Amino acid sequence: MNRRRKLMLGNWKMHHLRSDLVKFGTEFRQSLCSPLASVLEQVDVGIAPSFLCLETLTAQFPEHGWWNVAQNAHYAATGAFTGEISIPMLHEIGITKILVGHSERRQYFAESDQVVGKKVQACFERGMHPIICVGETLEIRKMELAEKTIESQIRAALQHCPPGSSFTIAYEPVWAIGTGIAATARQAQDMHQFIRRVLADLFGESVAIALRILYGGSTKPENISELLSQPDIDGALIGGASLDGGSLARMINSAVSV
Ligand code: PEP
């Protein structure tokens, strides 16, 4: 029996306007099994919305323990990087957690393992908690190179990790993101167990046992319980199914009851 609390995070990607948030919040709160403050005593919960929704969401969910997460940030603190957002800018509005290396950033914005490593390093230097996303493509899995790929993504991301750093890993197989085809509980558990072994090799057994590893990829109310009941799955990063308040709440209810 591990002591890791479940962490349920929505990733809204480039969805939802600020004007959608009141309806979302109402449906979300109505569908939770108990008031949000009580839920947050049992599981960690949050959302990564667009940058423009971050402050609105902070106001909408003031409950202690709610995670308001940025979807990305530049590794430089300041500079001539038109269109980018820096970690100090996020800090200024109270954000302390960032998704780093999401597969869509890697795929559409050419974020290499090296860039991901620099972003993670910048997070550690500036007191941010990165949620580090890793995942293999279908081609890589078919070639039986999934573990090798995940291991090198993790090692590159954490190459400048000072002892005691706070971070979360999200395993998101690229073939499962937005496809409707989630990894089976067995596939996900096997990879999570492997990731924990890599983390143990890097930081020692006692650190690895305390780190949270989330699963992401086509999770929904119907499949979340089985995934969350696996011993090394400590929560979920939820894309499409987090856009509807009722659906996200039902998934969180499952996390409370597993
Ligand atoms: C994601 O983008 O992080 C994700 C897991 O998406 P989906 O749940 O829609 O597959």
Side-chain angles (χ1 to χ4, degrees):
M1 176 70 183
N2 72 63
R3 289 159 175 261
R4 298 180 298 269
R5 273 162 72 94
K6 297 280 191 251
L7 167 58
M8 302 295 282
L9 281 183
N11 171 19
W12 281 358
K13 315 187 185 202
M14 201 171 71
H15 295 288
H16 277 327
L17 304 175
R18 279 190 294 186
S19 52
D20 296 331
L21 299 190
V22 170
K23 179 171 179 282
F24 173 87
T26 307
E27 289 174 358
F28 176 70
R29 286 177 187 277
Q30 277 170 355
S31 306
L32 280 178
C33 53
S34 45
L36 181 56
S38 324
V39 168
L40 289 169
E41 284 167 15
Q42 298 167 78
V43 296
D44 290 329
V45 176
I47 290 175
S50 74
F51 289 121
L52 291 173
C53 286
L54 278 168
E55 285 183 288
T56 316
L57 216 61
T58 305
Q60 189 146 351
F61 295 109
E63 281 89 349
H64 179 72
W66 175 266
W67 284 40
N68 242 356
V69 180
Q71 292 180 14
N72 181 35
H74 200 278
Y75 51 78
T78 182
F81 300 107
T82 302
E84 290 291 317
I85 302 272
S86 73
I87 293 174
M89 289 170 185
L90 293 168
H91 254 309
E92 191 179 40
I93 61 163
I95 302 301
T96 56
K97 300 169 180 84
I98 312 184
L99 297 184
V100 178
H102 190 280
S103 74
E104 287 150 17
R105 299 291 319 166
R106 295 177 189 257
Q107 191 179 349
Y108 304 128
F109 301 95
E111 276 190 18
S112 61
D113 280 352
Q114 284 63 36
V115 169
V116 172
K118 283 168 112 170
K119 291 187 174 197
V120 170
Q121 182 181 9
C123 284
F124 292 148
E125 285 171 1
R126 301 186 185 109
M128 280 273 177
H129 176 110
I131 296 120
I132 303 163
C133 304
V134 296
E136 82 285 359
T137 61
L138 192 55
E139 292 66 36
I140 293 282
R141 179 162 277 261
K142 282 184 179 159
M143 288 190 289
E144 299 190 355
L145 293 172
E147 289 189 351
K148 190 166 178 277
T149 301
I150 298 300
E151 177 164 4
S152 65
Q153 287 176 349
I154 290 175
R155 288 185 184 274
L158 292 168
Q159 59 188 308
H160 303 293
C161 181
S165 301
S166 161
F167 65 91
T168 300
I169 299 285
Y171 169 58
E172 301 204 296
V174 179
W175 47 271
I177 295 182
T179 59
I181 304 164
T184 62
R186 179 63 194 266
Q187 284 171 321
Q189 165 58 24
D190 285 352
M191 188 58 88
H192 282 230
Q193 195 174 30
F194 172 75
I195 290 172
R196 207 174 297 286
R197 280 209 304 274
V198 173
L199 293 171
D201 188 47
L202 281 169
F203 306 113
E205 204 64 54
S206 61
V207 171
I209 207 83
L211 284 167
R212 285 192 287 203
I213 307 171
L214 312 184
Y215 169 77
S218 294
T219 55
K220 50 191 175 193
E222 294 74 28
N223 63 13
I224 195 69
S225 292
E226 195 189 355
L227 286 159
L228 291 180
S229 55
Q230 303 304 308
D232 286 290
I233 299 186
D234 306 314
L237 185 55
I238 308 159
S242 73
L243 295 175
D244 177 85
S247 155
L248 180 62
R250 287 200 298 285
M251 295 170 82
I252 291 165
N253 295 343
S254 297
V256 170
S257 59
V258 287

